[in-house]
Amino acid sequence: MEKEDLKVLNKGEEEEMELQGYRLCRWRLALVGLGVLCTGGFLLLLLYWMPEWCVKSTCTRTTARDAEVVLLRSTDEFRRWFLARVRVMLAPGRNPFHSLETQTTSPSSPSCPFSSPPLANGHTQHPSEDGPAQELIRKYADYQPTQIRYFTFHSTKYYWNDEVQNFDVLTGLEDLQVSCSTLHSEHSAGLTRNQQEYRRLFFGVNEIAVKVPSVFKLLIKEVLNPFYIFQLFSVILWSADEYYYYAVAILFMSVISIATSLYTIKKQYIMLHDMVATHSTVRVSVCRANKEIEEMLSTDLVPGDVMVIPSNGTIMPCDAVLVSGTCIVNESMLTGESVPVTKTNLPDPLPGERGEETDSAYNIEEHKRHTLFCGTHVIQTRFYTGDLVKAVVVRTGFSTAKGQLVRSILYPKPTDFKLYRDAYLFLLCLVAVAGIGFVYSIVLSILNKVPAKTIIIESLDIITITVPPALPAAMTAGIVYAQRRLKLLGIFCISPQRINICGQINLVCFDKTGTLTEDGLDLWGIQRVENGSFHLSEENAYKENLVKSQFVACMATCHSLTKIEGQLSGDPLDLKMFEATGWILDEATEEETSLHNRIMPTVVQPPKQLLPPVPAVSPEQDMELYELASAYEIGIVRQFPFSSGLQRMCVVARLLGEKRMDAYTKGAPEMVTSLCKKETVPENFAEVLESYTKQGFRVIALAHRRLESKLTWHKVQNINRDHIEANMEFLGLIIMQNKLKAETPAVLQDLHQASIRTVMVTGDNMLTAISVARDCGMIPPQDTVIIADALPPHDGHTAKITWRYADKPSKISNLEEVNISLGDVCHIDEPKKQELYHFAMNGKSFAVISEHFPDMLQKLVLHGTVFARMAPDQKTQLIEALQGVDYFVGMCGDGANDCGALKRAHGGISLSELEASVASPFTSKTPNISCVPSLIREGRAALITSFCVFKFMALYSIIQYISVTLLYSILSNLGDFQFLFIDIAIILLIVFTMSLNPAWKELVSRRPPSGLISGPLLFSVLTQILICLGFQTITFLWVRQQPWYTVWTPLTDACNMSSHINASDHNGTEVDDHNIKNYENTSLFYVSSFQYLVVAIVFSKGKPFRQPSYKNWPFVLSALILYIFLLFIMFHPVKGIDDFLEIVCVPFEWRVKLFLIILVNAVVSVVVETFILDIVLWKLVFSRDKQGSFGVTPVASTPQGGLDLCAYKCLTRLCCPSKMTPKARYMHLAQELRVDPDWPPKPTTTTEAKSRPENGSTYQIMLNS
């Protein structure tokens, strides 16, 4: 049953989860209740932390259909557990799109997708759902109410669906899979009031509710964190042991920590709430089924409502598809692009044209050019012949685009980072050590007949010594300081935990336009085509002889520009192109439209000075010419907006006075030429295009077609664009220049020198992208670029990849090709010379390779440098593919279309300060990529600081543990004020100042380790533990061997000369209850106090990731003061201080010996950490973790590097004689590919898949003759 009834929710999506059904069990609940009472509430805490245990201990398994509680588990790498309570709702119908008028009176039958069995399981209806449902049921009293089961998880409702026998999400109108024509015919009339109320039962209120939790709720959630519970336990224990001072100090720190955390969380909730709440409730007009227009609040909208978009614009309260009219929308909230976008009405194919292609099912992604998204700002609307601009609501609430964005912020994926996983492992090790001490102290105390209360307190005290309660505060300090430094650099962070992860980044993806290059494009020139051949290139189109040419008419009309408050606005490329013509754009008023048969929304005309001057001929002719010239204007009849999928835009326009209309198209040259008559495209088109793209120019092609006179205005409004974009005449090319930002080459050079790979991900043309990559130094001049063109399977042929070398001679017909059919390349284990090559591919090839060559994709991303024509979701997939081979990926984009990738990357930096940056962990004020090295440097510094602090805190607890364990053996302990001095004066002061080291000024090629469980760090911690243990044990044993040593009493003080005379009388003197004052205690206190300081200095690493410690003056000053103070009280005892710290006077010669022990300890610690670890082991053995060792990112060799390599080889042969396998998958792949003779693919081999019955396929390599 376990296997059978394991359901999968959201299959194939990001939020995929496994679901198990459970039913509450009374006897189990009673047992758990008893357990909670017996453990004083601790069991309840444990069940709160572990939802899986909570459900399994209080419930029994049942089918998902009958479940009262569902246990959910994410299928991602985190495998997190969640629980949700199943509720039951009564409704008069089966599903939201069910027609109430046609409902039968039968009870729920198996065909009802969202129905459930009757209420027989002791369920109670959810009271909050009761009201509106009962009202509707009363209206339809004859109908049998249906019971619908559902649960809510992460602001999404999952309803039980009998058809699929699983819980399902109701998205909206898309669930019906309606075609475009059906949307127009059946859904554009509107809903009745009853239908609307009925649908609201399922879809709920249309609002994105970000509830700001009360301070009390947040406090409870924060306080129930395991660390704070442990701190509470420690404070209670210390209070029982009368150790009040440190208990108060820890309590004070915890209160400050909790208060800061609460303030930050509350502030973020309020910010998000304010961002969402702005304009979330507006008054809207909806069309009712009886053709009435009704005003209502946007919160009442449901999918299927028809909303009237006001002419003066609005903020969209839902996702809706336009069925009539046009809107100009600012979508910066979603895309980060502040450029207004034109949205046109959804095409309604004529009955005769409704095929599969022309009348596809409405899809929000495919039809986004016709969809108005929630949260976007409709600036203005355009209507034709007095019609209203209408839109059908498709999604509401959290199902909308804005709702999904808010959900991703409210419920982020946990940050998976080795440091945090290792930290818990390390703490478990400390707990194990504490366990040993716990048992040891109990056994020792029982043997010495110590009272039970003392045994309990002292044995539990060992645990609080070994697992330091101040650890969370200490770890947070470094991140807080790094966040503050980033703020000073103009980088704002909304996810501080990511700062540490940025220290591991070894690959950065960059968007091109607006990130590597300037945002705007400049017109470099034009190259017109006449009679199938190119003219010479011209600087601009602002010429008298071109004013009436089709080329300039296309430049003037084929755009989506609009006037907002008298200013032209729209896509920057369109703006530059239109400005280059010098023409004037007028959005016609109603009076002006009387010149035309139908309404022309936009008119363009050339400036008067460009029109031909009036020739000196007869007066009659003059008048005709003048009239013709003054009336030269073109009206734009219909726009087909730019689509990244189609890579082009098209307009239908008409010259004033002409009966026939013209179609103009502009777009990607390869796409536009495929729509043109072959005879109009010059023969040397490919060479001319390649010459421009290789120089890094952005090239746009123009085309034109005279339309048939039978195409009237009304027919044009409903025609499919495929009918218009065919048999066109090629007009020529517009060449735009996209300049590199001044900072780009230097930053990329810095990253390259630091062995950090750089990758370009752009929506631009492939060759332009390769050229920009060469210009900015991403691809060095001598390296080869291999373009991968992948073709999907067709006509019975398998998928194949055609390789071509981008920099080979430009004749495309002579390009050497190699085809790799479905499958992989076979391996021959022999080393070969490393070649420097880069792969480039476009979005279509990336999609084919992802689907049909998943193994090949891993090899391609290893050297893939340019990914062109990538859609937003493909950018995210690329980030995932790179993370799949163990890269730590950074992503830098300007916010436009990069939201998904910025969120998915380990460190996403948005260069846009618009609302879309909410999705990005980091936002930079400086709009160039110079923030990337700064972030990585600060990340490395923060990561090393975390390691330093963690190592120091671990050593602090172990040093104190050693001292206490040694003292327990003589039934002694450290005094309260000794603990207080160590814990506050030494530890807290050092921890909070050692985190202040700023980042090193440049990036180095070495990366810090990613986790605590790594060679160098374990070696460092273990050696220091052994050193401290050794010197404390020597001190403890040596003091007992001294000639003056005796059991200390006030009368037998070694400083008191008469001590030996009165030694026999010490029984009569008062002895310390806790036996704190003794020679062992004093000696260990001095040695251990210096050990804390030595370890702090040794662990406080500077170069190459942080500034040296001597530049951190608060730390230096703190350490210096403590050293002076300790040396002073050691060599010059002050009675007041000695009494306070409960230390005893020892002979001077023993103080000198102690000083020598401390000195030797310091020297040994420094030598082991600095010389053996940093120079010998790290450089020569642990450096195999560097990328450069495996040829992934070649770094310039140096004589020192050569010496290191020789020594490295010798040491690795000694240490690791077996074949070494790198940890990261990309290194492992690089090693495999270095000995693969068929990699990279060469233009002389073809690899084809041949079927083989036993395991699928084999490969045959053929050499081309």
Side-chain angles (χ1 to χ4, degrees):
M1 182 173 134
E2 289 268 337
K3 294 273 182 195
E4 282 172 31
D5 211 50
L6 189 75
K7 304 286 184 188
V8 178
L9 297 182
N10 310 321
K11 195 159 190 166
E13 292 175 35
E14 194 181 336
E15 282 194 8
E16 188 179 273
M17 287 178 295
E18 291 166 353
L19 177 143
Q20 298 168 30
Y22 284 86
R23 187 181 301 191
L24 284 165
C25 172
R26 285 179 183 170
W27 67 265
R28 286 191 180 199
L29 270 169
L31 271 178
V32 168
L34 192 67
V36 170
L37 283 172
C38 294
T39 57
F42 184 71
L43 181 62
L44 196 63
L45 263 178
L46 210 58
L47 297 181
Y48 169 76
W49 292 330
M50 314 289 274
E52 173 200 9
W53 294 6
C54 179
V55 171
K56 289 182 177 176
S57 61
T58 56
C59 306
T60 51
R61 274 301 293 268
T62 182
T63 58
R65 181 191 173 94
D66 301 322
E68 294 178 22
V69 174
V70 289
L71 185 61
L72 305 163
R73 192 179 195 185
S74 63
T75 56
D76 57 18
E77 67 270 33
F78 305 107
R79 307 289 286 158
R80 291 172 298 157
W81 292 95
F82 304 96
L83 64 91
R85 188 80 188 263
V86 177
R87 301 188 184 281
V88 176
M89 170 176 90
L90 286 178
R94 302 163 188 162
N95 74 56
F97 305 111
H98 179 79
S99 173
L100 290 175
E101 281 69 26
T102 58
Q103 175 155 345
T104 60
T105 55
S106 66
S108 52
S109 61
S111 62
C112 314
F114 289 98
S115 63
S116 291
L119 292 176
N121 303 321
H123 283 280
T124 52
Q125 281 129 243
H126 189 225
S128 64
E129 305 290 345
D130 210 35
Q134 291 299 334
E135 263 179 54
L136 272 174
I137 289 162
R138 274 196 291 276
K139 280 184 189 173
Y140 296 91
D142 303 338
Y143 303 147
Q144 171 75 32
T146 308
Q147 293 130 17
I148 293 160
R149 306 161 65 79
Y150 72 95
F151 67 88
T152 307
F153 175 71
H154 282 181
S155 303
T156 304
K157 276 187 183 175
Y158 292 82
Y159 288 90
W160 177 257
N161 184 335
D162 259 342
E163 279 180 7
V164 294
Q165 284 293 300
N166 199 354
F167 284 95
D168 231 347
V169 180
L170 290 175
T171 313
L173 212 56
E174 282 174 289
D175 296 339
L176 285 176
Q177 295 188 321
V178 283
S179 65
C180 297
S181 55
T182 314
L183 249 172
H184 278 279
S185 58
E186 294 176 21
H187 295 274
S188 59
L191 302 173
T192 63
R193 209 174 271 117
N194 284 342
Q195 280 176 317
Q196 189 194 46
E197 282 177 31
Y198 169 60
R199 284 190 186 181
R200 205 178 309 130
L201 283 179
F202 292 87
F203 292 107
V205 177
N206 173 35
E207 65 174 347
I208 301 164
V210 178
K211 292 189 176 78
V212 179
S214 67
V215 174
F216 180 72
K217 263 189 184 175
L218 285 174
L219 181 68
I220 295 296
K221 200 175 173 185
E222 191 71 18
V223 166
L224 294 182
N225 180 311
F227 264 124
Y228 288 125
I229 295 296
F230 179 65
Q231 284 184 339
L232 184 68
F233 160 74
S234 304
V235 166
I236 293 166
L237 181 71
W238 293 331
S239 302
D241 198 20
E242 297 174 359
Y243 182 35
Y244 300 118
Y245 302 99
Y246 190 56
V248 169
I250 287 290
L251 199 63
F252 178 68
M253 275 168 53
S254 299
V255 166
I256 288 177
S257 176
I258 290 169
T260 311
S261 186
L262 286 187
Y263 173 74
T264 311
I265 295 168
K266 182 98 175 168
K267 192 177 166 189
Q268 282 181 349
Y269 266 114
I270 290 168
M271 270 173 66
L272 190 61
H273 176 268
D274 292 349
M275 184 192 105
V276 173
T278 318
H279 313 295
S280 65
T281 307
V282 289
R283 289 203 76 77
V284 289
S285 301
V286 291
C287 300
R288 288 277 167 239
N290 56 8
K291 297 196 175 173
E292 279 181 20
I293 304 267
E294 183 185 300
E295 256 207 15
M296 57 189 248
L297 282 173
S298 60
T299 47
D300 294 334
L301 288 172
V302 293
D305 267 327
V306 176
M307 182 181 163
V308 178
I309 313 290
S311 56
N312 59 343
T314 183
I315 301 274
M316 286 302 294
C318 56
D319 288 354
V321 60
L322 268 177
V323 286
S324 67
T326 309
C327 291
I328 291 151
V329 187
N330 182 340
E331 290 191 327
S332 64
M333 186 341 227
L334 288 180
T335 63
E337 193 80 82
S338 56
V339 172
V341 182
T342 303
K343 302 273 181 172
T344 55
N345 60 311
L346 188 75
D348 183 15
L350 300 169
E353 298 170 354
R354 288 175 188 172
E356 267 186 40
E357 286 183 19
T358 54
D359 194 22
S360 57
Y362 169 75
N363 178 292
I364 213 156
E365 267 305 306
E366 277 176 40
H367 297 98
K368 63 181 175 189
R369 281 290 177 183
H370 314 293
T371 307
L372 304 168
F373 293 103
C374 177
T376 59
H377 184 197
V378 178
I379 301 165
Q380 62 186 49
T381 61
R382 293 183 183 157
F383 51 87
Y384 303 102
T385 57
D387 287 347
L388 293 168
V389 178
K390 293 179 191 172
V392 178
V393 176
V394 286
R395 290 181 181 182
T396 57
F398 275 103
S399 298
T400 62
K402 184 178 178 180
Q404 297 289 3
L405 176 66
V406 172
R407 277 184 74 237
S408 71
I409 298 164
L410 278 175
Y411 313 106
K413 263 190 171 183
T415 313
D416 178 40
F417 190 40
K418 210 161 173 285
L419 170 70
Y420 303 122
R421 277 179 285 142
D422 288 357
Y424 285 110
L425 272 174
F426 211 90
L427 282 175
L428 281 175
C429 295
L430 290 178
V431 168
V433 171
I436 296 164
F438 181 73
V439 173
Y440 163 79
S441 67
I442 288 176
V443 171
L444 202 68
S445 301
I446 291 169
L447 289 175
N448 287 289
K449 297 175 181 171
V450 175
K453 185 192 172 191
T454 315
I455 293 176
I456 293 164
I457 288 174
E458 291 199 343
S459 48
L460 288 175
D461 204 21
I462 279 275
I463 296 170
T464 65
I465 286 168
T466 321
V467 184
L471 185 64
M475 292 290 281
T476 311
I479 294 171
V480 170
Y481 295 148
Q483 194 176 357
R484 202 173 64 191
R485 288 196 297 270
L486 282 172
K487 201 172 179 181
L488 293 173
L489 292 169
I491 301 168
F492 295 91
C493 170
I494 60 165
S495 177
Q497 295 302 326
R498 296 258 187 148
I499 298 174
N500 272 341
I501 301 173
C502 289
Q504 277 295 305
I505 286 173
N506 55 357
L507 183 146
V508 186
C509 294
F510 292 99
D511 179 40
K512 183 179 81 73
T513 313
T515 304
L516 296 172
T517 60
E518 295 289 353
D519 217 348
L521 289 158
D522 297 317
L523 186 79
W524 180 85
I526 59 170
Q527 192 147 12
R528 292 183 299 121
V529 167
E530 268 182 31
N531 306 322
S533 62
F534 278 112
H535 280 258
L536 290 171
S537 60
E538 298 161 84
E539 265 189 50
N540 62 46
Y542 191 77
K543 293 179 180 176
E544 285 181 23
N545 61 329
L546 297 181
V547 72
K548 291 189 179 181
S549 66
Q550 295 292 6
F551 189 92
V552 170
C554 184
M555 285 176 73
T557 56
C558 196
H559 52 70
S560 56
L561 300 177
T562 183
K563 271 197 172 168
I564 297 167
E565 294 174 6
Q567 288 288 313
L568 265 184
S569 72
D571 187 282
L573 187 145
D574 286 352
L575 210 54
K576 286 280 180 192
M577 180 183 78
F578 183 74
E579 283 169 358
T581 61
W583 283 42
I584 298 147
L585 180 136
D586 284 316
E587 288 183 335
T589 59
E590 284 180 37
E591 297 80 50
E592 290 171 323
T593 55
S594 55
L595 292 166
H596 311 284
N597 302 340
R598 294 274 180 268
I599 289 178
M600 296 280 195
T602 307
V603 173
V604 291
Q605 57 188 33
K608 296 277 192 286
Q609 61 268 32
L610 271 189
L611 289 166
V614 181
V617 205
S618 64
E620 298 84 14
Q621 214 172 344
D622 279 3
M623 201 60 205
E624 282 171 34
L625 272 169
Y626 182 75
E627 277 173 14
L628 178 73
S630 63
Y632 190 83
E633 48 185 57
I634 303 171
I636 300 166
V637 177
R638 179 151 189 218
Q639 280 183 357
F640 297 99
F642 175 79
S643 155
S644 51
L646 299 173
Q647 297 180 10
R648 62 181 185 269
M649 83 164 286
C650 177
V651 293
V652 176
R654 183 163 63 189
L655 181 65
L656 188 63
E658 286 277 343
K659 285 191 177 170
R660 287 169 71 178
M661 297 187 195
D662 296 277
Y664 296 104
T665 298
K666 81 165 195 299
E670 308 90 335
M671 180 54 70
V672 172
T673 49
S674 69
L675 306 172
C676 293
K677 297 176 193 165
K678 286 227 170 119
E679 62 272 17
T680 65
V681 180
E683 284 180 18
N684 62 340
F685 165 76
E687 286 92 328
V688 171
L689 175 63
E690 195 171 345
S691 71
Y692 283 127
T693 51
K694 271 189 179 177
Q695 294 172 62
F697 291 118
R698 174 119 176 235
V699 183
I700 292 135
L702 306 182
H704 160 255
R705 175 184 163 196
R706 290 280 277 175
L707 298 175
E708 302 78 21
S709 52
K710 65 177 183 180
L711 275 177
T712 61
W713 186 88
H714 266 299
K715 280 183 180 172
V716 164
Q717 291 311 316
N718 294 310
I719 199 167
N720 193 299
R721 70 190 288 174
D722 295 346
H723 291 282
I724 287 175
E725 295 171 335
N727 293 321
M728 304 196 88
E729 288 180 20
F730 187 64
L731 293 177
L733 304 171
I734 296 176
I735 300 105
M736 313 288 279
Q737 192 174 24
N738 194 195
K739 291 174 186 163
L740 277 178
K741 287 185 177 175
E743 302 80 6
T744 299
V747 170
L748 294 178
Q749 178 65 19
D750 286 351
L751 293 174
H752 182 69
Q753 283 175 346
S755 299
I756 294 169
R757 261 188 72 192
T758 50
V759 170
M760 186 190 294
V761 194
T762 176
D764 208 342
N765 169 288
M766 166 85 75
L767 292 172
T768 305
I770 292 171
S771 166
V772 171
R774 284 204 181 282
D775 289 349
C776 65
M778 205 176 265
I779 299 175
Q782 68 280 6
D783 292 7
T784 310
V785 176
I786 306 167
I787 297 176
D789 283 331
L791 296 170
H794 63 100
D795 303 335
H797 297 286
T798 55
K800 65 170 187 175
I801 304 171
T802 306
W803 309 95
R804 50 194 182 92
Y805 284 63
D807 296 330
K808 294 286 183 220
S810 57
K811 286 226 171 194
I812 285 176
S813 56
N814 293 352
L815 270 175
E816 297 170 290
E817 294 184 353
V818 46
N819 294 332
I820 290 196
S821 291
L822 190 63
D824 205 342
V825 192
C826 67
H827 299 289
I828 296 171
D829 248 358
E830 56 180 54
K832 66 177 190 332
K833 186 174 175 272
Q834 188 183 335
E835 295 172 24
L836 301 175
Y837 56 92
H838 302 258
F839 289 109
M841 68 189 80
N842 61 22
K844 282 180 186 169
S845 298
F846 179 79
V848 172
I849 294 167
S850 299
E851 190 178 343
H852 300 285
F853 299 86
D855 293 343
M856 177 71 73
L857 182 67
Q858 293 200 332
K859 296 176 180 181
L860 290 176
V861 296
L862 200 66
H863 286 272
T865 303
V866 175
F867 295 86
R869 296 268 186 243
M870 295 285 274
D873 58 325
Q874 287 178 325
K875 289 184 179 184
T876 311
Q877 286 161 18
L878 173 65
I879 300 282
E880 284 170 351
L882 290 164
Q883 289 171 337
V885 289
D886 297 340
Y887 275 113
F888 280 90
V889 185
M891 169 77 198
C892 183
D894 58 353
N897 331 328
D898 301 321
C899 285
L902 287 167
K903 242 182 354 193
R904 184 52 51 86
H906 290 108
I909 318 166
S910 167
L911 301 184
S912 150
E913 285 190 73
L914 294 155
E915 283 174 303
S917 64
V918 171
S920 173
F922 300 96
T923 306
S924 171
K925 256 189 170 179
T926 42
N928 61 60
I929 63 167
S930 61
C931 59
V932 175
S934 302
L935 179 63
I936 297 173
R937 282 190 300 107
E938 285 299 343
R940 287 179 174 189
L943 186 55
I944 287 295
T945 299
S946 293
F947 288 142
C948 291
V949 168
F950 205 97
K951 282 160 65 181
F952 175 66
M953 292 302 280
L955 255 291
Y956 144 62
S957 55
I958 294 292
I959 291 169
Q960 203 166 67
Y961 173 77
I962 294 166
S963 304
V964 170
T965 311
L966 286 171
L967 290 171
Y968 272 14
S969 68
I970 58 160
L971 298 185
S972 179
N973 199 349
L974 289 172
D976 283 358
F977 289 102
Q978 289 176 345
F979 272 126
L980 193 68
F981 174 75
I982 291 167
D983 293 345
I984 292 179
I986 299 182
I987 305 306
L988 293 187
L989 191 61
I990 290 295
V991 154
F992 289 121
T993 55
M994 82 188 293
S995 306
L996 285 167
N997 287 35
W1000 185 244
K1001 50 187 177 289
E1002 58 194 45
L1003 276 176
V1004 292
S1005 60
R1006 197 167 99 191
R1007 275 191 304 134
S1010 58
L1012 288 161
I1013 314 296
S1014 66
L1017 288 164
L1018 281 180
F1019 178 85
S1020 170
V1021 169
L1022 292 172
T1023 50
Q1024 293 301 329
I1025 288 174
L1026 291 173
I1027 291 164
C1028 294
L1029 174 66
F1031 281 99
Q1032 282 204 48
T1033 311
I1034 288 166
T1035 307
F1036 183 75
L1037 296 173
W1038 199 11
V1039 71
R1040 298 172 75 103
Q1041 303 303 316
Q1042 296 305 307
W1044 47 263
Y1045 176 82
T1046 178
V1047 175
W1048 186 91
T1049 66
L1051 293 174
T1052 58
D1053 194 312
C1055 298
N1056 186 345
M1057 293 312 289
S1058 63
S1059 60
H1060 301 295
I1061 304 158
N1062 301 330
S1064 56
D1065 306 328
H1066 76 272
N1067 293 331
T1069 59
E1070 192 184 329
V1071 179
D1072 176 17
D1073 286 346
H1074 294 283
N1075 187 21
I1076 303 297
K1077 289 191 170 186
N1078 55 58
Y1079 297 123
E1080 292 91 339
N1081 170 295
T1082 300
S1083 303
L1084 286 180
F1085 171 73
Y1086 281 134
V1087 171
S1088 65
S1089 294
F1090 279 104
Q1091 280 181 341
Y1092 299 124
L1093 293 173
V1094 168
V1095 164
I1097 289 164
V1098 160
F1099 283 165
S1100 191
K1101 297 278 172 67
K1103 194 178 169 184
F1105 304 118
R1106 305 197 305 166
Q1107 296 280 4
S1109 292
Y1110 61 77
K1111 288 195 176 178
N1112 177 357
W1113 66 264
F1115 174 68
V1116 172
L1117 199 64
S1118 305
L1120 207 59
I1121 289 167
L1122 285 166
Y1123 267 122
I1124 292 165
F1125 175 75
L1126 285 167
L1127 286 169
F1128 173 74
I1129 62 168
M1130 195 167 112
F1131 285 106
H1132 190 280
V1134 177
K1135 193 173 186 308
I1137 296 172
D1138 285 3
D1139 289 347
F1140 179 76
L1141 291 174
E1142 297 179 85
I1143 51 182
V1144 299
C1145 186
V1146 291
F1148 185 77
E1149 64 266 23
W1150 179 241
R1151 288 181 221 158
V1152 173
K1153 285 175 186 173
L1154 280 179
F1155 182 67
L1156 287 173
I1157 291 171
I1158 289 158
L1159 209 58
V1160 175
N1161 184 347
V1163 170
V1164 172
S1165 288
V1166 169
V1167 166
V1168 168
E1169 183 75 15
T1170 311
F1171 182 75
I1172 296 176
L1173 179 77
D1174 285 5
I1175 296 171
V1176 181
L1177 288 170
W1178 186 298
K1179 263 195 174 181
L1180 306 180
V1181 178
F1182 302 130
S1183 64
R1184 73 188 179 96
D1185 287 348
K1186 279 164 53 179
Q1187 306 177 40
S1189 312
F1190 295 95
V1192 182
T1193 312
V1195 185
S1197 59
T1198 59
Q1200 178 61 41
L1203 288 169
D1204 281 356
L1205 192 67
C1206 295
Y1208 157 68
K1209 282 178 180 170
C1210 297
L1211 246 105
T1212 46
R1213 281 188 191 129
L1214 286 170
C1215 305
C1216 338
S1218 59
K1219 194 179 177 186
M1220 199 168 53
T1221 308
K1223 292 177 198 167
R1225 178 137 180 73
Y1226 68 86
M1227 294 179 188
H1228 186 67
L1229 276 168
Q1231 260 191 348
E1232 281 181 15
L1233 296 179
R1234 283 177 77 181
V1235 294
D1236 186 346
D1238 297 319
W1239 194 265
K1242 298 179 187 72
T1244 51
T1245 56
T1246 308
T1247 309
E1248 291 179 354
K1250 301 277 179 195
S1251 60
R1252 194 169 75 188
E1254 32 317 353
N1255 67 354
S1257 61
T1258 183
Y1259 317 102
Q1260 186 180 1
I1261 300 170
M1262 296 178 294
L1263 292 172
N1264 291 348
S1265 53

